[in-house]
Amino acid sequence: MADKRKLQGEIDRCLKKVAEGVEQFEDIWQKLHNAANANQKEKYEADLKKEIKKLQRLRDQIKTWVASNEIKDKRQLVDNRKVIETQMERFKVVERETKTKAYSKEGLGLALKVDPAQREKEETGNWLTNTIDTLNMQVDQFESEVESLFIQTRKKKGEKEKQDRIEELKRFIERHRYHIRMLETILRMLDNDSVQVDSIQKIKDDVEYYMESSQDPDFEENEFIYDDLDLEDIPAALVATSPTGMGNIEDEMFLHSSSTPTSTTSSSPIPPSSATCTAVSTSAFTDWLFAPEPLSSLKAMAERAALGSGLDGEIPNLHLTDRDIFSGSSAAPGTPAAPQPSLSEVSIPPSLGVCPLGPTPLSKDQVYQQTMQESAWTHMPHPSDSERIRQYLMRNPCPTLPFHHQMPPHHSDSIEFYQRLSTETLFFIFYYLEGTKAQYLSAKALKKQSWRFHTKYMMWFQRHEEPKTITDEFEQGTYIYFDYEKWGQRKKEGFTFEYRYLEDRDLQ
């Protein structure tokens, strides 16, 4: 009871914020349309965008509550969601006007380029596309919930509430796919000018009501939405195809199935639109939920594919009976059934799933590309291949006189030579010849002079006196360090040198 009161309190606060946000949106809207100059308009447009973002976040929360089963009366939530979506549509108008500058060529020629009828047709097409996408997303959510419930009921048998919910979701999926198929057909008719825009506008309210409220307990669907469009009289080429609805599933299959059935994948002669393409897994759940096509339809599709490929001589081979294809799987009435082979004995070449009519030979270019890809795979690049080669280039080259040294001194790459250099010269070499042998030799020479490198501060330190405190982890005292930023040696009293930051590699 306390949880319900808490939830109701959160809903009341959210709806209050919606009312305040809508009021603020209206106020900014009026200011925007009464703005005197472009600077004011830009400011109000930015403020309007902030308010619509707040309202969108509230809308997302409301949609979560609407989808929840804990709330019984959802009318107030649905009404507030529609109010927010109305403001979102109004903001889209402002956004389009903002993108089209008033004095640009596009803005000046917009009225001449776009015919009002064409614009109305495009808007209707966009509405159909968005509606199909929304319904498909809802179908995905339903299927995901069904899969989750199915797994739970497989583990715990006899939970009636979950089974009822599964049946309800199956009905939702079936009705959604019906509407998707109808709307895709209407979209194709619109593209082919086979239907009037006014006729589509008449079904818009009913479709949106179904899309938004189909899950409400008191929802009543209008079963005659598409009757006035005469979709039954249209040519077959314009009919959209979508995944078949779910048939009746026997309780025995649901309760007692323990093995994983083999999934059957079929292809459609008319490729479905991208909005309806869904990936069908080969899991036991997917086979329980949906793909098999009757044998007659499979043979018909194979015959159509063969006719389209020009394989006239092989068409008679496609007229097979059930016994020819699935030997032993079915028997005539009154005859003893033949023993069925186990699923583990079935072996179907994978190539048949990709190319049912046989492989197509590769062209010369394809063979060459495949060879190059295989060759590239054996010579994969290494991360170090992307590093730039460090080369020393003199910024201000200066010619030297002949009597000056033209070559480095003898044994200049030995530690003995570097030990004769001054400390400041060694610091210069260390910091300005990074990644070279000279940096390595200068570091080695500095270590021989009792300098130690601090990896945290990237500076060289030397004891000024014996440390006052020495432990296993640090030592504390007065140190001399070389400040490379100000280029000079400085003294630091009471400094704690932690041994974990000591660079103590043996530079041999």
Side-chain angles (χ1 to χ4, degrees), residues 40-56:
Q40 289 183 352
K41 280 192 174 184
E42 290 181 1
K43 177 184 178 302
Y44 292 137
E45 286 167 0
D47 294 342
L48 205 64
K49 188 172 184 178
K50 290 180 182 178
E51 291 301 322
I52 203 64
K53 291 293 184 185
K54 294 178 184 177
L55 290 173
Q56 283 178 326

Side-chain angles (χ1 to χ4, degrees), residues 450-462:
S450 300
W451 288 92
R452 296 294 178 265
F453 189 68
H454 198 290
T455 58
K456 180 179 180 182
Y457 300 111
M458 306 298 289
M459 294 181 180
W460 289 90
F461 284 76
Q462 189 181 55

Side-chain angles (χ1 to χ4, degrees), residues 267 305 309 311 348-362:
S267 59
S309 304
L311 302 176
I348 300 176
S351 60
L352 291 180
V354 181
C355 302
L357 301 178
T360 304
L362 298 177

